[in-house]
Amino acid sequence: TTCIILEKDIVLHNELGNGSFGVVKKGEWKVSTQPPQTIPVAVKVLKADAFSQPGIYDDFRREVEAMHSLHHPNLIKLHGVVFHPLMMVCELAPMGALLDYIRSQNGKVSLNFISKWSSQVAAGMAHLEKNRFLHRDLACRNILLSTLELVKIGDFGLMRALPDADDCYVMSERRRVPFPWCAPESLRSRQFSHASDVWMFAVALWEMYTFGEEPWIGLNGSEILRLIVRDGQRLSAPNACPPDVYMLMMQCWDLVPKERPTFAGIQRYMETNK
Ligand SMILES: Nc1nccn2c1c(-c1ccc(Oc3ccccc3)cc1)nc2[C@H]1C[C@H](O)C1
């Protein structure tokens, strides 16, 4: 079961950034082992308004149990939760969000790194897929850098754990909704699946190969949906993107969810095309 951590065992330090659903701070966790040891952690302090509706705690606890049971080198480890205030105590990724790193390099990111990061994200997502766990919000902002050689996916399942008040977070304006990353079926009828995670994965790849551009910049959800569904448009091939990677992206952006590759298939493809 999930480790319930006492507030007294967490020391909070500087802010690391604004993640989804709350602010993230660097912290230290005094683990009550013998002898007691202190480990560096990242603490996501969840916004109270996410817990407005009744029964949210039970849903949250169930989701956190599931998150806690997922272990993979390319997934941020959830150590436990503190209740009141609600905080998720997680593995620290010292180099922060991949998107911030890529943007800070002004287009000078080696394609070898991008290819390595892509296959690590595919491996982490294949682990979620194998465990029948949906991410629902995969994007470069939710991929974290432990080292330049190792990326980890964060926030998996959080969208489900903390649905918006009207539980269709995709349509709610209150939170920055990930329209440009969403599969059409998620935008249209809030359907989420491994196939919609695969769609989002390809958008995250597009972000990496454009060195951090915003997908469908300036367009709102309905304009994006029309371009994709009515006009058959897709994000254009980034200049730095190898042709076979763009072909993979286009397969992940198939309008028909079951025509898209699985993460198991994507991982195999990336292993062989290293
Ligand atoms: N773990 C981290 N290390 C360093 C910087 N970080 C981390 C997280 C972060 C992401 C997710 C999270 O909560 C989870 C993790 C796994 C599954 C569900 C929720 C906690 C911290 N967020 C950040 C920074 C990058 C973003 O701007 C705020």
Side-chain angles (χ1 to χ4, degrees), residues 16-17 24 42 44 67 76 88 90-93 97 144 155-156:
L16 291 174
V24 178
K44 177 163 277 200
M67 288 173 204
I76 288 285
M88 301 180 82
C90 301
E91 170 184 5
L92 178 69
L144 300 153
D155 275 353
F156 41 91

Side-chain angles (χ1 to χ4, degrees), residues 8-71:
K8 70 173 180 58
D9 293 335
I10 296 287
V11 177
L12 292 178
H13 298 303
N14 55 300
E15 189 172 305
L16 291 174
N18 257 313
S20 34
F21 297 101
V23 71
V24 178
K25 298 189 174 184
K26 189 164 177 344
E28 286 174 313
W29 173 32
K30 191 145 53 47
V31 196
S32 35
T33 50
Q34 288 310 333
Q37 63 187 94
T38 300
I39 62 171
V41 290
V43 180
K44 177 163 277 200
V45 184
L46 294 169
K47 275 200 287 278
D49 77 343
F51 291 87
S52 51
Q53 58 183 335
I56 188 73
Y57 271 100
D58 303 345
D59 300 352
F60 181 71
R61 281 177 62 93
R62 199 176 17 260
E63 282 303 313
V64 163
E65 292 293 343
M67 288 173 204
H68 192 74
S69 64
L70 294 162
H71 297 117

